[in-house]
């Protein structure tokens, strides 16, 4: 018996991934490839599982392969491409139950481990909950107590709980309390249990877990609404795709971002994620689009110039969301990428506002007042970004909803102002609201004085 | 015996401060007040000790008072003004040795505690080293193994060490290894030791410690060159003042700051720290000075305007150092203060550059090129500040020296340009170096990709 599973940050837990089955029902998407290699938003399902586990610190994987195992091994290699180590265990008897597959890893396991399914897509928070579990059990199951409407309950493995224990598991049990999400924290005790279960004729993983349940040795964690799905059918595949994209919407997204930019940028990301284009390249594309926008504002030869400039500004604003979306979908986030993006954004903000100011100036008598207004709008925009870094941290820590004038709103206002051919009022509004917003943020942060 | 002193962040250690003596030799500075209440750069010496200890998390103090104890108690009160708790222990026998004073606290102490002297000024890092000590001793002494040239070795208490133990203590010992800095981590075992020592006729703290030394129970930590001084004489007082001011020079200070601004701002701080002026008020004064500077640049009626504007800019830059200096001297630092200061700095940078641009524009044909240059200088200045937040963190963590174009250099260039009456070249230089500097920083930060 293993006393504690408490995850101490310095993780040395291995993860076993069962990837031996055939997955025939997903045929239309797999195109002859083994199911774990089916591509879903730029990554194969099994790659996504590995990279999700890596975010919580797991870097050692044992993958049980069977059906078309060679293809999986060739594709994933030794894991160095993902900065992890992968060991393969071949299971020629992959047509038998998945309990047989797990049993093949027995000699590679001598302490608690994470068990994952190669065809499940899930949020890393479920792994975090498992790793934070602190108790004495031989097996802990991640349980979804309130399955979303898209989960195929018929096909799912059900669980019954009493207190902090699991008391029954199976596909067909009445009055169940939750679903098994295909993620487990286990001790090597599972292997004896599997042997016992197999000798009785039940070759499934559930059979082995049932043996531990009968001994009263199975606990659970609640996944608290976190996302997971078992991809068995083309319909599951589409649901996974949709949910993964939805998860990219940030709670801090402003209103324009949420209702206008995101829906469009997600469609673009859904397409681009399957290409080799990097997030940083997309940051540059968004920046480069702002150059003709600024130039058209700057020249201001006719309304068409202004109109096009406004539309380009909004397009640049939308593309500005794509880099982060692709980075998150492909686990390519980097601090440097975020910094590059934010610096380029500042330059494109400045170019556009300068272009607008100059364009108005050449058309209307070359006065000096417009330079005041333009400079004030420029300063205000910068100050918004300058204060955003600290402000967002504070607001997030307070967990209060708060309206915030961000880049999405600023660039949207510019587009609206351009369509209405009202450059001066737009600059005046920008100058006022951005500077007032900076003052408001300074005022809000005042409460944190001394901290 | 107490096993471990390991400080776990959540500090509940009390600090005892010995403040019963008369301190006659400092008479010219104390002006009839008890020595601990002597004011040194805006705070009394004992207040400074309390606030220094508070920075490492100590909030419970026991102060032993004797000579003019009432004045000390009236001045410090219950400590609520400093966000700490103060308990007073009166020692009417204050003419006897300081061992007697410490013994008076016996009934208030039931676990390890910090012992401080009310007339010592020291850097908080010494307390940190003490609190991080991890070992089994009844007394740990903070030892200065390489005393600075200004320390009065004659008067200091000397120590001899062997291995990790102290083997001798006293004012007159030969071949000593270091000096006692007046900071200790002690267990209540000291009280028995003091009683033993006093019964033998030695009423000093050193006497009590000697008893523990003879039992082999005294360890030490090395203060690694940290600042401390025992203020006994007017000369010590001046040294403390000079050193505290010197400690305000930041390792990240740019060259102009280091060699021009700091020497002047420190003189101003030395004076203003004795007034009630707050750091935030000084931030506003620095900002407000930039308004006439910007206005004079903006109007550009004659060279005198430009000259005055340049000088005001540099004065504002110098004053900009004072707020932080006073905040640190008086332990009034706050995140809000730092944020307010940096936001005001951005506005004054923008005002000055805008003023320069406009001033040049009205004088030289009202062309458009100057607006390009001015806006580029404005953007570059902002980008420098925008990237500084992350950049400085990275550079500090790398511990490499790195030249950095900061605000001190930008404003100094503006002053030089104004004196030379060369607004256009100044703006061109600013536009180029600030933007190049931003690119350079982005490039330097590239190495931290993924982290």
């Amino acid at each position: 018996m293993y006393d504690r599973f408490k995850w101490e940050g310095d993780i040395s837990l291995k993860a076993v991934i069962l990837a031996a089955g055939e997955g025939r029902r997903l045929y239309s998407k797999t195109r002859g490839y083994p199911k774990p290699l089916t591509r879903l938003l730029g990554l194969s399902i099994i790659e996504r599982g590995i990279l999700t586990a890596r975010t919580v610190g797991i870097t050692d994987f044992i993958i049980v392969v069977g059906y078309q195992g060679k293809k999986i091994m060739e594709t994933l290699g030794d894991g160095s491409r993902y900065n992890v180590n992968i060991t393969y265990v071949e299971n020629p008897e992959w047509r038998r139950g998945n309990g047989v597959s797990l049993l093949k890893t027995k000699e590679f396991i001598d302490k608690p481990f994470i068990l994952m399914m190669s065809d499940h897509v899930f949020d890393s928070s479920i792994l975090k909950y498992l790793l934070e579990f602190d108790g004495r059990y031989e097996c802990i199951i991640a349980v979804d107590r309130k399955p979303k409407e898209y989960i195929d309950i018929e096909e799912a493995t059900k669980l019954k709980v009493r207190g902090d224990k699991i008391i029954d598991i199976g596909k067909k049990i009445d009055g169940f309390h939750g679903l098994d999400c295909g993620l487990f924290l286990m001790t090597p005790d599972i292997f004896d249990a599997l042997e016992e279960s197999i000798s009785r004729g039940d070759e499934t993983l559930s059979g082995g877990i049932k043996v531990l349940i009968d001994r009263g040795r199975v606990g659970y964690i609640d996944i608290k609404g976190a996302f997971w799905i078992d991809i068995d059918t083309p319909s599951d595949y589409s649901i996974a795709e949709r949910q993964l994209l939805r998860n990219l919407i940030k709670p801090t997204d402003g209103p324009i971002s949420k209702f206008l930019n995101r829906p469009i940028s997600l469609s673009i990301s859904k397409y681009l994620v399957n290409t080799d284009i990097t997030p940083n390249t997309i940051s540059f594309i968004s920046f480069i689009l702002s150059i003709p926008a600024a130039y058209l504002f700057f020249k201001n030869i006719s309304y068409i110039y202004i109109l096009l400039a406004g539309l380009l500004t909004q397009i640049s604003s939308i593309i500005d969301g794509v880099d982060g979306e692709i980075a998150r979908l492909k686990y390519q986030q980097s601090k440097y990428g975020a910094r590059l993006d934010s610096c380029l954004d500042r330059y494109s903000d400045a170019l556009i506002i300068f272009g607008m100011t100059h364009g108005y100036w050449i058309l209307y008598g070359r006065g000096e007042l417009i330079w005041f207004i333009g400079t004030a709008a420029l300063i205000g925009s910068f100050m918004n970004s300058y204060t955003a870094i600290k402000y967002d941290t504070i607001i997030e820590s307070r967990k209060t909803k708060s309206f915030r004038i961000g880049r999405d709103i600023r660039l949207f206002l510019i587009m609206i102002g351009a369509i209405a051919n009202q450059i001066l009022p737009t600059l005046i509004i920008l100058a006022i609201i951005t500077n007032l917003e900076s003052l408001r943020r300074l005022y809000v942060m005042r409460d944190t004085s001394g901290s």
Side-chain angles (χ1 to χ4, degrees), chain A residues 197-267:
Chain A
S197 163
I198 291 166
S199 72
R200 284 196 217 139
D202 185 346
E203 298 189 335
T204 64
L205 173 62
S206 295
I209 293 174
K210 193 96 185 33
V211 171
L212 294 177
I213 287 174
D214 292 343
R215 295 185 198 151
R217 305 301 318 142
V218 180
Y220 68 94
I221 56 105
D222 184 343
I223 66 165
K224 296 170 198 164
F227 167 67
W228 71 279
I229 190 164
D230 174 5
I231 300 186
D232 279 334
T233 65
S235 150
D236 295 336
Y237 178 92
S238 304
I239 291 163
E241 196 172 61
R242 198 183 65 211
Q243 288 299 321
L244 285 173
L245 289 171
R246 269 194 199 165
N247 290 348
L248 296 173
I249 300 171
K250 291 183 188 173
T252 53
D253 275 354
I256 302 301
S257 178
K258 201 166 178 177
F259 298 111
L260 176 67
N261 299 2
R262 276 290 178 214
I264 303 172
S265 65
L266 287 177
S267 311

Side-chain angles (χ1 to χ4, degrees), chain A residues 344-391:
Chain A
L344 290 174
D345 284 355
R346 298 298 78 72
Y347 275 107
S348 65
D349 289 355
L351 284 176
I352 289 168
I353 292 174
F354 178 69
M356 289 170 76
T357 310
H358 180 270
Y360 185 86
W361 177 72
I362 51 168
L363 209 61
Y364 297 95
R366 299 183 172 241
E368 58 186 293
L369 189 66
I370 184 66
W371 289 111
F372 277 90
I373 297 164
T375 305
L378 191 75
I379 297 171
S381 290
F382 259 114
M383 290 308 289
N384 278 188
S385 311
Y386 191 67
T387 52
I389 308 169
K390 304 280 181 189
Y391 178 77

Side-chain angles (χ1 to χ4, degrees), chain A residues 59-78:
Chain A
T59 53
D60 272 297
F61 295 85
I62 297 171
I63 303 182
V64 185
V65 293
Y67 173 75
Q68 296 206 9
K70 218 165 187 174
K71 273 194 186 161
I72 295 178
M73 293 191 276
E74 275 167 9
T75 310
L76 302 180
D78 62 358

Side-chain angles (χ1 to χ4, degrees), chain A residues 46-88:
Chain A
I46 193 166
E47 276 179 319
R48 189 169 292 284
I50 290 168
L51 292 169
T52 306
R54 201 189 62 183
T55 64
V56 300
I58 299 173
T59 53
D60 272 297
F61 295 85
I62 297 171
I63 303 182
V64 185
V65 293
Y67 173 75
Q68 296 206 9
K70 218 165 187 174
K71 273 194 186 161
I72 295 178
M73 293 191 276
E74 275 167 9
T75 310
L76 302 180
D78 62 358
S80 53
R81 193 150 34 109
Y82 315 105
N83 280 318
V84 301
N85 304 310
I86 300 179
T87 309
Y88 295 96

Side-chain angles (χ1 to χ4, degrees), chain A residues 91-107:
Chain A
N91 173 18
E93 307 170 279
W94 56 267
R95 285 178 198 277
R96 294 172 66 188
N98 56 357
V100 176
S101 283
L102 178 54
L103 191 52
K104 299 280 180 198
T105 66
K106 183 177 175 178
E107 60 181 296

